Amino acid sequence: MTMTMNTTATGEALRRALDGPFHEIKQRWRNEVDGADVVRDPALSMEEARDWTLERVKDLAARHLVTAGFPAAQGGSGTAAESCAHFEMAALGDLSVTIKSGVQHGLFGGAIVNLGTTYHHETFLPDAITVKLPGAFAMTELGHGSDVQSLETTITYLPETDELEVNSPTSTATKAYLGNAGRDGRMAAVFGQLYVDGEHHGVHVVLVAIRDEDGNDLPGVTTGDQGHKGGLLGVDNGTLSFDHVRVPRLMLLDRYGGIDADGEYHSPISSKNARFFTMLGTLVRGRICVGGGAASATRKALTIAVNYADRRRQFRQPGLGEEILLLDYRTHQRRLLPNVARAYAYGFAQTELALQLQRVTDAAGADPQASRELETRAAGMKALQTRWANDTIQECREACGGAGYMSDNGLTLLRQDADVFATFEGDNTVLLQLVAKALLLDYKASWGDMDMRGTAQKTARLIGSAVMERTTARSVIERLIASADRKPEADRLSARGWHVQMFEFREQHTIEGLARRMRTAAKAEDSFEAINACQPHMLEAAKAHIDRIVLEAFIGGIEQCDDDYIKALLVKVCDLYALATIEANRAWFLEHEVFDPKRSKAITAAVDELCADLRGKSRELVEGLGVPEGWLTHARAAIPPLIG
Amino acid sequence: MTMTMNTTATGEALRRALDGPFHEIKQRWRNEVDGADVVRDPALSMEEARDWTLERVKDLAARHLVTAGFPAAQGGSGTAAESCAHFEMAALGDLSVTIKSGVQHGLFGGAIVNLGTTYHHETFLPDAITVKLPGAFAMTELGHGSDVQSLETTITYLPETDELEVNSPTSTATKAYLGNAGRDGRMAAVFGQLYVDGEHHGVHVVLVAIRDEDGNDLPGVTTGDQGHKGGLLGVDNGTLSFDHVRVPRLMLLDRYGGIDADGEYHSPISSKNARFFTMLGTLVRGRICVGGGAASATRKALTIAVNYADRRRQFRQPGLGEEILLLDYRTHQRRLLPNVARAYAYGFAQTELALQLQRVTDAAGADPQASRELETRAAGMKALQTRWANDTIQECREACGGAGYMSDNGLTLLRQDADVFATFEGDNTVLLQLVAKALLLDYKASWGDMDMRGTAQKTARLIGSAVMERTTARSVIERLIASADRKPEADRLSARGWHVQMFEFREQHTIEGLARRMRTAAKAEDSFEAINACQPHMLEAAKAHIDRIVLEAFIGGIEQCDDDYIKALLVKVCDLYALATIEANRAWFLEHEVFDPKRSKAITAAVDELCADLRGKSRELVEGLGVPEGWLTHARAAIPPLIG
């Protein structure tokens, strides 16, 4: 309780609004977890960081703070959605701890939960949860990361001994970049191509013990430590390769495909392709968490940078005595405040994504359309949030000048640790292409292969309702649009309905344009080059889609808020998010003659005004981002002059 | 010689063209300096990194590789311009070594050279050059970094003992972030307000011994080690504060203001303000070097990332056997190749800046207009190159996926070390405002305070010639513009003269617009807020100015090239730089109706085509960036599968 004693009432209320349904869980972290439990000394060496991180993860597990998403019978304590909320809070503390737990509980444990059956749950989950059994998630290989279907590792059934033989046939089949593989792991969930009786059944997962109690490699297993990295020094990434290693048949995680006692392969899903995507689909939580974790790191960076800018003075007005606060400079407001607004936008959207995960989890495969939609959004939200994180944490570092570069002040550690979020759980460029492909499939499902050229204009509205299923608050948004249409031209800029129209138009138009280009490309002589040329348009369409979903989530979040004062403040923050996003894409809008140069300049002016307006509430706004004060920097580092 | 044996003939020729007048110096580094001399093991601890770095700097000094810019009589070996070329080469090796030497030779040594007189040169330079006397450059204080005129440290003349007393009157007067202050420094060049006989003479610099031979603080001096930072672990940044420390009067660096034996202050420059800016102006080389060093780091990152993308395959075309090289993907080309083009552009512009430094140095203050122009360009080039460095090295890291995050592959070290280049030697936002202010002064000098509203259009061309003094190749550029004007509309996009026109128009228009706004703001009731609102326009104008200078330098560089094949290749690279820059600013051009939406889209298509075209020469193009092959990664790290 002492930790939040300095928070203003407005800050507390904003925090409640942004936490939404997870407020209780998040407050539990804020009240029970001390900075010393989760804030790393940025000067630790790699070995020290690994030791500290492992210990912290065990501690958080013992306190049931990172154990949601597991069956209660095996020691779990909460839903899948709640596990995402816990992940976000851990990431406000330290990203090495978060990712170490993410590897252990989310990936290794998650593979056992989602791809295994009762035997695996009962046998391995209790020790996986307490971290008595540290495990690696051995999917990526040196040769194949994004392209999981092309993994080279083989899992071959040997009927004579009723065993599975795991093998790395080439050097590029070496598993790589795996957390827990470098030092601590004792077991791995190994992805490989399953062969039974000479027949190939596609990628499956098998549990393989990799080290003995003393940490020595088991026979046939070669582990490697990948050592020092650009960040996340507390996570021991490493390599694994297998030389005809045998494990009992039972070790195959067989929920979607297994081998019976007679040595026969059986699966509830007959298509190899469908089975592969179903299996990968169950692992979607990792991608959701990584996006949310990157956003948490960014919230912390913004809190540090805004606090600094609100204390640090430099240069004085000619003739006046007092030096000027950094946050009173227009350029400084521009660097930070639109990002604070975006932090709120992504926060509301992330909560919605977690709730969507819960609905899909509860449906247990009964709603494949919902699963697919979840995967699309998870991929897009991960890509956008991690891109924003890298850009924004860097902006925060620079906005704190030399002080920002001193490790004690916390920003450089965030920057280094968050960096790889753009890569793991799916390279961002590849993920955005997945999003675009899913959008095209939806588009095709609605419109088939008919030539859209002539009908695009007339049917735009219809397409909207088909492709762009609204996320929340449907009736609210319809009302906002109708109300914007009735406003005089001069007031449009501040009308939420107009913002929605802009976001929707961009989404519709980029998807339609992409569909047209792809259709033409498919008929081209060199179809690779023609489709290749569509790539930038795929990224555009994917971003436009996610931007629209985020805006709608923000609108939905505001709708849930029952405090009029806070609601009015959030409306301004949403204005800033919406207009800054339109401004960032104004070249596109101008190219498509959606608005004219005059309007475009007016949008920039409106963003400036909103920054100046919200500057007076900057303290409350960053408090609302929910980072406990004692977690901002390592305790040793609290030397006020260095950051003040 | 063995190190370049794999370089193609085209790569060698591009290298020669880009090195320009510094080819011999740069080849000397490539031929004589081994990777082991300059490539740091990225996993070194802070203490190990500091030891290694100090030793490397001493070695390079002993080999006369970092000793240009000093008088030959004291051990110098080369011109000021050459010292910039050496700095660029050092930065292709390791940035800690570069900055440690930059602090020692460039800042500490540079202060003695430029602000001291014969006594200081003869007494201190020989040991400064060999690093027998490690020194700090004690300008920045905790309270004041960008605002040097407000420093709090005092230097008071005591006539009774003929000494100077150096004092830190407040905690915010503590000198901070100083390289060499944390551990190795024995002396510091301390900036403070000089008082003689109660009269204030503004900021001056005095040499103060800070530690004894054994590294203990001298009486009255308190040193502090700022410890772990976001990068540059080999540089020992620290703090200094002074409690009434006395030094002999002779220790004042008195080229621009000193105290004679009678205790009288005298200076060749009567205005306190003019003296301050003259003194700071002589330190411009540091800013030039930092911009060039950041560009070097980026060249290295681009070389690593392009090489990786040209070896790494992922995903295969449906139905075809071979997997696709990353660099064959359009999105991947887009991430890297326009940055390769920009590396060439900045390279040519950096060379020109170094030559300009030499002309100003040779003029020895006789051409104040040239000095001011140099300072403006140095500030702008520093800001643009360091911004580009941070963005591009990060892009390269991500473009190498998980491999890029492993420290052994070199990218994360570059990223961490280059980060603070955006801050030191001047915060980028502040520097761009300096540039804009200088442009406004030029503007005012040409046009006075007359209201430009009515005459702006008519006189645009004239303003061009007044404000926008061309850098090089004036007649060539005039010819290119004339030739573009004669081309049919459809061919304009590929005409260099049209590119120049676009760059010039943007520069002119942003400066004129800024002048108009500033004039209005000055008359406003709340003039701080009104001028504050002009800040974003200041940044725009400054960027537009430097962009134009860079383009002209590229054109001048091509003009110097006497190999027709290389020249034709560089023309395409320049096309890519020019069009990608126009594309990046297309929102501005559309808002100002300089071109229409159709042309805007055509520019994007042209950038795509140039990327696809130059992709076939990507290897040669990165060879041309001039990074010796053995310097790309630390020798221990050469494990091909991790990066291949």
Side-chain angles (χ1 to χ4, degrees):
Chain A
M1 293 302 281
T2 53
M3 279 178 290
T4 54
M5 70 177 181
N6 292 321
T7 311
T8 62
T10 300
E12 287 282 8
L14 283 167
R15 202 171 269 193
R16 196 173 305 116
L18 190 55
D19 287 347
F22 302 117
H23 185 58
E24 207 175 317
I25 284 176
K26 293 188 172 182
Q27 279 298 99
R28 203 188 133 207
W29 279 79
R30 293 185 189 112
N31 293 330
E32 294 176 15
V33 180
D34 194 69
D37 296 334
V38 285
V39 182
R40 178 153 49 108
D41 178 343
L44 293 185
S45 71
M46 185 177 81
E47 277 311 304
E48 290 166 344
R50 286 178 175 187
D51 291 342
W52 180 85
T53 301
L54 179 61
E55 190 207 334
R56 296 295 85 219
V57 172
K58 285 180 176 171
D59 173 67
L60 294 177
R63 295 161 73 179
H64 301 293
L65 286 163
V66 290
T67 52
F70 291 109
Q74 277 90 40
S77 57
T79 65
E82 285 168 1
S83 76
C84 299
H86 284 288
F87 193 97
E88 284 184 69
M89 288 310 293
L92 290 178
D94 177 72
L95 294 181
S96 276
V97 168
T98 308
I99 294 305
K100 183 89 174 174
S101 164
V103 167
Q104 176 68 21
H105 299 107
L107 295 178
F108 177 65
I112 297 173
V113 168
N114 292 303
L115 303 177
T117 47
T118 310
Y119 165 74
H120 310 104
H121 294 184
E122 291 178 352
T123 313
F124 302 109
L125 281 186
D127 287 352
I129 292 171
T130 61
V131 204
K132 201 179 151 195
L133 178 71
F137 181 77
M139 183 155 81
T140 295
E141 298 175 354
L142 283 177
H144 295 90
S146 293
D147 185 3
V148 176
Q149 267 183 304
S150 296
L151 293 177
E152 296 178 81
T153 300
T154 55
I155 305 168
T156 309
Y157 180 62
L158 308 176
E160 52 274 30
T161 56
D162 199 26
E163 287 175 315
L164 292 161
E165 187 180 80
V166 181
N167 192 46
S168 312
T170 65
S171 67
T172 51
T174 302
K175 298 291 180 183
Y177 315 121
L178 321 174
N180 269 342
R183 195 189 79 165
D184 298 328
R186 295 294 180 263
M187 185 172 270
V190 180
F191 286 67
Q193 309 287 351
L194 180 66
Y195 290 88
V196 181
D197 200 16
E199 197 182 339
H200 175 232
H201 295 284
V203 172
H204 285 65
V205 185
V206 64
L207 295 176
V208 183
I210 56 170
R211 287 191 181 90
D212 65 20
E213 296 266 309
D214 301 324
N216 304 306
D217 290 359
L218 288 170
V221 177
T222 304
T223 68
D225 188 336
Q226 290 184 290
H228 199 275
K229 304 189 301 292
L232 296 179
L233 291 188
V235 183
D236 54 322
N237 294 77
T239 59
L240 291 177
S241 67
F242 305 96
D243 182 8
H244 302 89
V245 174
R246 293 184 179 195
V247 298
R249 170 174 56 87
L250 272 177
M251 297 297 266
L252 188 72
L253 298 178
D254 59 351
R255 178 166 166 199
Y256 295 106
I259 304 163
D260 63 23
D262 299 331
E264 297 282 333
Y265 180 80
H266 56 85
S267 166
I269 305 169
S270 54
S271 148
K272 231 191 294 191
N273 214 38
R275 192 188 308 134
F276 173 75
F277 285 109
T278 302
M279 288 170 71
L280 281 201
T282 65
L283 306 173
V284 68
R285 191 182 59 180
R287 208 162 264 175
I288 294 171
C289 285
V290 160
S296 289
T298 318
R299 290 187 190 191
K300 189 166 167 179
L302 284 166
T303 306
I304 294 171
V306 168
N307 286 346
Y308 181 75
D310 220 358
R311 280 202 312 270
R312 172 78 176 178
R313 295 175 182 275
Q314 200 74 177
F315 293 107
R316 65 191 81 227
Q317 289 184 244
L320 294 176
E322 194 167 35
E323 289 172 285
I324 299 159
L325 285 168
L326 294 192
L327 201 50
D328 285 331
Y329 289 108
R330 177 63 55 87
T331 44
H332 217 83
Q333 294 167 4
R334 269 280 188 171
R335 295 168 85 169
L336 299 178
L337 298 183
N339 282 312
V340 171
R342 187 167 295 269
Y344 276 85
Y346 286 149
F348 286 114
Q350 182 69 15
T351 294
E352 196 165 280
L353 194 61
L355 297 174
Q356 201 176 354
L357 168 70
Q358 194 58 47
R359 289 194 296 274
V360 166
T361 306
D362 293 343
D367 187 351
Q369 164 65 21
S371 302
R372 207 155 54 84
E373 191 184 277
L374 174 69
E375 287 164 38
T376 302
R377 289 190 186 167
M381 283 288 292
K382 187 272 185 188
L384 262 62
Q385 288 187 104
T386 56
R387 167 81 277 128
W388 170 69
N390 279 334
D391 292 342
T392 306
I393 300 172
Q394 180 64 24
E395 191 75 58
C396 291
R397 200 301 287 154
E398 294 178 27
C400 291
Y405 198 58
M406 302 297 112
S407 299
D408 276 353
N409 293 321
L411 288 165
T412 58
L413 188 68
L414 287 168
R415 180 72 192 74
Q416 292 171 12
D417 288 351
D419 179 346
V420 78
F421 282 53
T423 297
F424 62 25
E425 279 291 344
D427 170 85
N428 282 353
T429 304
V430 175
L431 290 183
L432 290 175
Q433 290 180 58
L434 285 184
V435 173
K437 280 178 193 160
L439 295 175
L440 287 175
L441 274 180
D442 279 346
Y443 187 89
K444 203 170 166 185
S446 302
W447 295 96
D449 279 330
M450 65 180 279
D451 191 318
M452 288 299 303
R453 219 164 299 227
T455 51
Q457 292 291 0
K458 260 183 279 180
T459 54
R461 198 69 223 161
L462 277 170
I463 293 161
S465 58
V467 176
M468 307 194 313
E469 195 73 17
R470 287 224 168 75
T471 44
T472 49
R474 287 157 212 244
S475 61
V476 174
I477 288 166
E478 293 299 341
R479 207 176 61 226
L480 289 169
I481 291 176
S483 131
D485 284 342
R486 285 192 306 270
K487 288 209 175 178
E489 185 60 21
D491 297 342
R492 288 273 171 93
L493 228 56
S494 59
R496 181 77 64 239
W498 184 77
H499 304 157
V500 174
Q501 283 176 315
M502 291 299 101
F503 278 59
E504 284 190 350
F505 181 84
R506 183 167 149 251
E507 180 184 23
Q508 278 179 12
H509 200 93
T510 53
I511 296 172
E512 280 172 23
L514 179 62
R516 217 163 35 235
R517 282 166 197 277
M518 291 292 274
R519 209 162 24 235
T520 310
K523 294 174 197 151
E525 211 163 309
D526 183 348
S527 72
F528 170 72
E529 265 315 318
I531 290 171
N532 199 12
C534 295
Q535 270 199 335
H537 302 277
M538 296 181 83
L539 306 194
E540 270 304 303
K543 287 179 201 167
H545 174 67
I546 302 297
D547 281 347
R548 194 262 308 168
I549 283 174
V550 170
L551 177 61
E552 294 197 357
F554 204 154
I555 294 170
I558 293 175
E559 205 58 27
Q560 297 293 313
C561 178
D562 49 15
D563 177 327
D564 283 346
Y565 176 76
I566 297 303
K567 206 166 180 168
L569 189 51
L570 287 173
V571 163
K572 278 190 197 171
V573 176
C574 188
D575 285 348
L576 180 53
Y577 164 71
L579 288 171
T581 303
I582 295 172
E583 186 195 30
N585 293 289
R586 69 193 193 285
W588 187 90
F589 286 109
L590 288 163
E591 280 179 345
H592 294 82
E593 301 178 77
V594 183
F595 48 64
D596 62 12
K598 202 177 145 205
R599 165 73 49 108
S600 183
K601 291 176 186 173
I603 290 167
T604 293
V607 171
D608 281 343
E609 274 169 45
L610 280 163
C611 284
D613 186 3
L614 288 171
R615 185 262 174 272
K617 289 285 166 215
S618 57
R619 180 185 167 181
E620 291 83 349
L621 287 173
V622 293
E623 284 173 353
L625 296 180
V627 193
E629 219 181 318
W631 297 15
L632 289 172
T633 52
H634 188 257
R636 186 179 52 66
I639 311 166
L642 286 184
I643 190 88
Chain B
M1 293 303 282
T2 53
M3 279 180 289
T4 55
M5 70 177 183
N6 293 322
T7 312
T8 61
T10 299
E12 288 282 8
L14 284 167
R15 202 171 269 193
R16 196 171 305 116
L18 190 55
D19 287 347
F22 303 116
H23 185 56
E24 207 175 317
I25 284 175
K26 293 188 172 180
Q27 279 298 96
R28 201 188 135 207
W29 280 79
R30 295 187 188 110
N31 292 330
E32 295 178 14
V33 180
D34 194 69
D37 296 333
V38 285
V39 182
R40 179 153 47 109
D41 178 343
L44 293 185
S45 71
M46 186 177 79
E47 277 310 303
E48 291 166 342
R50 287 178 174 188
D51 291 341
W52 180 85
T53 301
L54 179 60
E55 190 207 333
R56 295 295 85 221
V57 172
K58 286 180 176 172
D59 173 66
L60 294 176
R63 295 162 73 179
H64 301 293
L65 286 162
V66 290
T67 52
F70 291 108
Q74 278 90 41
S77 57
T79 65
E82 285 168 1
S83 76
C84 300
H86 284 288
F87 192 98
E88 285 185 66
M89 288 310 294
L92 290 178
D94 177 72
L95 294 182
S96 276
V97 169
T98 308
I99 294 306
K100 183 89 174 174
S101 164
V103 167
Q104 176 68 22
H105 299 106
L107 296 178
F108 176 64
I112 298 173
V113 168
N114 293 302
L115 302 178
T117 47
T118 310
Y119 165 74
H120 310 103
H121 294 184
E122 290 178 352
T123 314
F124 301 110
L125 281 185
D127 287 353
I129 292 172
T130 61
V131 204
K132 200 180 152 196
L133 177 71
F137 181 78
M139 183 155 79
T140 295
E141 297 174 357
L142 284 176
H144 295 91
S146 292
D147 185 4
V148 176
Q149 268 184 303
S150 296
L151 293 177
E152 296 178 80
T153 300
T154 55
I155 305 169
T156 310
Y157 179 62
L158 307 176
E160 52 275 31
T161 56
D162 199 26
E163 289 175 314
L164 293 160
E165 187 180 80
V166 181
N167 192 47
S168 313
T170 64
S171 68
T172 50
T174 302
K175 298 290 178 183
Y177 316 121
L178 320 174
N180 269 343
R183 196 189 78 165
D184 297 328
R186 295 294 179 264
M187 185 172 271
V190 181
F191 286 66
Q193 309 289 350
L194 179 67
Y195 290 88
V196 181
D197 198 16
E199 197 183 338
H200 176 231
H201 296 284
V203 172
H204 285 65
V205 185
V206 63
L207 295 176
V208 183
I210 56 172
R211 287 190 182 91
D212 66 19
E213 295 265 308
D214 301 325
N216 304 306
D217 290 357
L218 287 171
V221 177
T222 304
T223 68
D225 188 338
Q226 291 185 289
H228 198 276
K229 305 188 301 294
L232 297 179
L233 291 188
V235 183
D236 54 322
N237 293 78
T239 59
L240 291 178
S241 66
F242 304 97
D243 182 8
H244 302 88
V245 174
R246 294 183 179 194
V247 298
R249 172 173 56 87
L250 272 177
M251 298 297 267
L252 188 71
L253 298 178
D254 60 350
R255 179 168 167 197
Y256 294 106
I259 303 164
D260 62 24
D262 300 329
E264 298 282 332
Y265 180 80
H266 56 87
S267 166
I269 305 169
S270 55
S271 149
K272 230 193 295 192
N273 213 39
R275 193 188 307 135
F276 173 75
F277 286 109
T278 302
M279 289 170 72
L280 281 201
T282 65
L283 306 173
V284 68
R285 191 181 61 180
R287 210 163 261 173
I288 294 172
C289 285
V290 160
S296 288
T298 318
R299 290 187 191 191
K300 189 166 168 179
L302 284 166
T303 306
I304 294 171
V306 168
N307 286 348
Y308 181 75
D310 219 358
R311 283 204 309 271
R312 173 76 177 180
R313 295 174 181 277
Q314 201 74 176
F315 293 108
R316 66 190 82 228
Q317 289 184 245
L320 294 177
E322 192 166 36
E323 289 171 284
I324 298 159
L325 285 168
L326 295 192
L327 201 50
D328 285 331
Y329 290 108
R330 177 62 55 88
T331 45
H332 217 82
Q333 293 168 5
R334 269 281 189 170
R335 295 167 83 170
L336 299 178
L337 298 183
N339 283 311
V340 171
R342 186 167 295 268
Y344 276 86
Y346 286 150
F348 285 113
Q350 181 70 17
T351 294
E352 196 164 282
L353 194 61
L355 296 175
Q356 202 175 353
L357 168 69
Q358 194 58 48
R359 287 194 297 274
V360 166
T361 306
D362 293 342
D367 188 351
Q369 164 64 21
S371 301
R372 206 155 55 83
E373 191 185 278
L374 175 69
E375 287 164 38
T376 303
R377 287 189 188 168
M381 283 288 293
K382 187 274 185 184
L384 262 62
Q385 288 187 103
T386 56
R387 167 81 277 129
W388 169 68
N390 279 334
D391 293 343
T392 305
I393 300 173
Q394 180 64 24
E395 191 74 60
C396 291
R397 202 300 289 155
E398 295 178 26
C400 291
Y405 199 59
M406 302 297 112
S407 299
D408 276 353
N409 292 321
L411 289 166
T412 59
L413 188 68
L414 287 168
R415 179 73 192 73
Q416 293 170 12
D417 288 350
D419 179 345
V420 78
F421 282 54
T423 297
F424 62 25
E425 280 290 343
D427 170 86
N428 282 352
T429 304
V430 175
L431 290 184
L432 290 174
Q433 291 180 56
L434 285 184
V435 173
K437 281 177 192 161
L439 295 175
L440 287 176
L441 275 181
D442 280 345
Y443 187 88
K444 205 170 163 185
S446 302
W447 295 95
D449 279 329
M450 64 180 277
D451 193 318
M452 289 299 303
R453 221 164 298 226
T455 52
Q457 293 288 0
K458 262 183 276 179
T459 53
R461 200 67 223 164
L462 277 169
I463 293 161
S465 58
V467 177
M468 305 193 315
E469 196 72 15
R470 285 222 170 79
T471 44
T472 50
R474 289 159 210 242
S475 62
V476 174
I477 288 167
E478 293 299 341
R479 207 177 61 226
L480 289 168
I481 291 176
S483 131
D485 284 342
R486 285 192 306 271
K487 288 209 173 177
E489 184 61 23
D491 297 342
R492 290 271 172 95
L493 228 56
S494 58
R496 182 77 65 238
W498 184 77
H499 304 157
V500 174
Q501 284 176 315
M502 291 299 100
F503 279 58
E504 284 191 350
F505 181 84
R506 182 167 149 251
E507 179 185 24
Q508 279 180 10
H509 199 93
T510 52
I511 296 172
E512 280 172 22
L514 178 63
R516 219 164 30 238
R517 283 168 196 276
M518 291 291 274
R519 210 164 21 237
T520 311
K523 294 175 199 152
E525 211 164 312
D526 183 348
S527 73
F528 169 71
E529 264 316 318
I531 290 172
N532 199 11
C534 296
Q535 271 199 335
H537 301 277
M538 295 180 84
L539 305 195
E540 270 303 303
K543 287 179 201 165
H545 173 67
I546 302 297
D547 281 347
R548 194 262 307 168
I549 282 175
V550 170
L551 177 60
E552 295 196 359
F554 203 153
I555 293 170
I558 293 174
E559 206 58 25
Q560 298 293 312
C561 178
D562 50 14
D563 177 328
D564 283 348
Y565 176 76
I566 297 302
K567 205 164 180 168
L569 189 51
L570 287 173
V571 163
K572 278 189 195 171
V573 176
C574 188
D575 285 347
L576 181 52
Y577 163 71
L579 287 171
T581 303
I582 295 171
E583 186 195 29
N585 293 288
R586 69 194 193 284
W588 187 90
F589 286 109
L590 289 163
E591 280 180 344
H592 294 81
E593 301 180 76
V594 184
F595 49 66
D596 63 12
K598 201 175 146 207
R599 164 73 50 108
S600 182
K601 291 177 187 172
I603 290 167
T604 294
V607 172
D608 282 343
E609 273 169 45
L610 280 164
C611 284
D613 186 2
L614 287 171
R615 185 261 174 273
K617 289 287 166 213
S618 57
R619 179 184 167 184
E620 290 82 350
L621 287 173
V622 294
E623 284 173 351
L625 296 180
V627 193
E629 218 181 318
W631 297 13
L632 289 172
T633 53
H634 187 259
R636 187 178 50 67
I639 312 165
L642 287 183
I643 191 88

